[in-house]
Amino acid sequence: MNVALASLPAEPGRENEDFAAAAAGAAVLLDGAGVAGAETGCTHGIAWFSSTLGGLLLSAITAHPARPLADGLADSLRVVRSLHEDSCDLTYRASPTSTVVAVRAGAGTLEYIVLGDSTLLLADEDGKTTAITDQRLDEVGKRLRGPVDELLTGSPEHAAALARYRDALTGLRNRSGGFWIAGPDARAAEHALTGVVPLENLASVTLLSDGATRLVDSFDIATWEETLSVLSSAGPGELIRRVREAEASDPDGRRWPRGKAQDDATVLHWVLSE
């Protein structure tokens, strides 16, 4: 596999809650999440949740190539729950969760599963790109976050509005009319986006956390084709550097309102053909 991977925490010295890994013919990326300032009820933490689930999921989908990816995700969620339900209170509203993107190649096709607001970017031999993102979290968020975006990122007023927003968002997690994300309930896997695409004309597959897609979907200063060009010419590290550069130019969110001035950013770029 020709895979390039880069990942940076939101700030130096902070724990990175993203996780990405690849094995023969498969790759996974998870973006861990919680509720800022709230007790998680978990003694292990968000980074432990995303990395443990990611490792189990990669193992499950490679060990059982004929089994649907959603089944592998559900099984992995159950195992993670069993690992800490006796020591942690998983009923907390801020119990650790994560997005999931996973792909598996075999028999001339690429299978994928996407849950939450991380992105799968597919590129064909002609440079045409297709971005697959679970939009349900964003759709719910747009209905709720107006008061947050009116305030300067990092201000006390912004922090208070963000806490209210996240509290309301959590109430819509893993329920009809809301959004779905990997957490204590394995049934979330049933609501993931899944699909199969031919490998024949596919040139590359890229998995990105939402901290790495900001140039396109939050700042609107790049296209997916331009993102692919950066990845192909300079690699994932350069893409994340450009995201950080843009974030630094607008630290208080005047130009680009957002919950965090910077976020964990992870990119796994898998080149299928040269």
Side-chain angles (χ1 to χ4, degrees), residues 152-153 214-215 218-221 240-258 260-262:
L152 296 182
T153 300
R214 285 183 162 185
L215 297 181
S218 295
F219 302 163
D220 197 26
I221 57 175
I240 294 176
R241 189 199 67 77
R242 295 188 186 193
V243 172
R244 289 288 185 260
E245 184 177 63
E247 291 167 335
S249 73
D250 181 45
D252 55 11
R254 291 178 185 270
R255 181 179 180 186
W256 300 305
R258 55 198 188 273
K260 301 177 184 177
Q262 295 186 166

Side-chain angles (χ1 to χ4, degrees), residues 186-209:
R187 291 177 298 176
E190 301 171 11
H191 298 272
L193 308 181
T194 59
V196 179
V197 295
L199 278 172
E200 184 179 6
N201 295 316
L202 206 56
S204 68
V205 178
T206 309
L207 289 62
L208 307 99
S209 67

Side-chain angles (χ1 to χ4, degrees), residues 7-92:
S7 186
L8 281 181
E11 299 173 5
R14 272 190 56 179
E15 193 170 33
N16 191 339
E17 296 170 348
D18 287 355
F19 173 85
V28 301
L29 180 145
L30 292 82
D31 178 356
V35 179
E39 291 292 331
T40 65
C42 177
T43 61
H44 304 90
I46 295 168
W48 174 87
F49 178 84
S50 58
S51 62
T52 302
L53 177 60
L56 287 166
L57 177 59
L58 185 60
S59 176
I61 65 176
T62 53
H64 306 286
R67 199 144 191 261
L69 297 180
D71 290 351
L73 176 56
D75 289 346
S76 300
L77 286 167
R78 293 187 190 98
V79 173
V80 174
R81 182 183 181 100
S82 73
L83 291 175
H84 71 144
E85 63 183 343
D86 291 336
S87 59
C88 306
D89 186 349
L90 305 187
T91 65
Y92 269 56

Side-chain angles (χ1 to χ4, degrees), residues 58 120-121 129-130 139 153 159 172 192 217 248 251 254 265:
L58 185 60
L120 173 63
L121 183 64
T129 61
T130 301
E139 290 167 358
T153 300
L172 295 171
D217 56 18
R254 291 178 185 270

Side-chain angles (χ1 to χ4, degrees), residues 73-224:
L73 176 56
D75 289 346
S76 300
L77 286 167
R78 293 187 190 98
V79 173
V80 174
R81 182 183 181 100
S82 73
L83 291 175
H84 71 144
E85 63 183 343
D86 291 336
S87 59
C88 306
D89 186 349
L90 305 187
T91 65
Y92 269 56
R93 67 184 181 88
S95 183
T97 61
S98 78
T99 68
V100 175
V101 180
V103 294
R104 180 175 61 196
T109 62
L110 182 85
E111 302 170 75
Y112 67 81
I113 184 167
V114 178
L115 184 65
D117 60 357
S118 294
T119 296
L120 173 63
L121 183 64
L122 306 176
D124 66 20
E125 297 283 359
D126 298 322
K128 179 183 176 183
T129 61
T130 301
I132 302 168
T133 308
D134 182 353
Q135 300 286 355
R136 288 169 292 188
L137 176 56
D138 288 341
E139 290 167 358
V140 171
K142 286 176 183 177
R143 303 201 304 261
L144 300 173
R145 65 174 296 126
V148 179
D149 291 342
E150 294 172 358
L151 300 166
L152 296 182
T153 300
S155 67
E157 295 80 9
H158 180 270
L162 186 62
R164 291 190 293 271
Y165 161 74
R166 286 172 169 161
D167 191 57
L169 198 65
T170 301
L172 295 171
R173 185 176 65 198
N174 288 355
R175 58 185 295 183
S176 297
F179 65 98
W180 299 88
I181 197 163
D185 189 349
R187 291 177 298 176
E190 301 171 11
H191 298 272
L193 308 181
T194 59
V196 179
V197 295
L199 278 172
E200 184 179 6
N201 295 316
L202 206 56
S204 68
V205 178
T206 309
L207 289 62
L208 307 99
S209 67
D210 68 338
T213 60
R214 285 183 162 185
L215 297 181
V216 179
D217 56 18
S218 295
F219 302 163
D220 197 26
I221 57 175
T223 65
W224 290 119

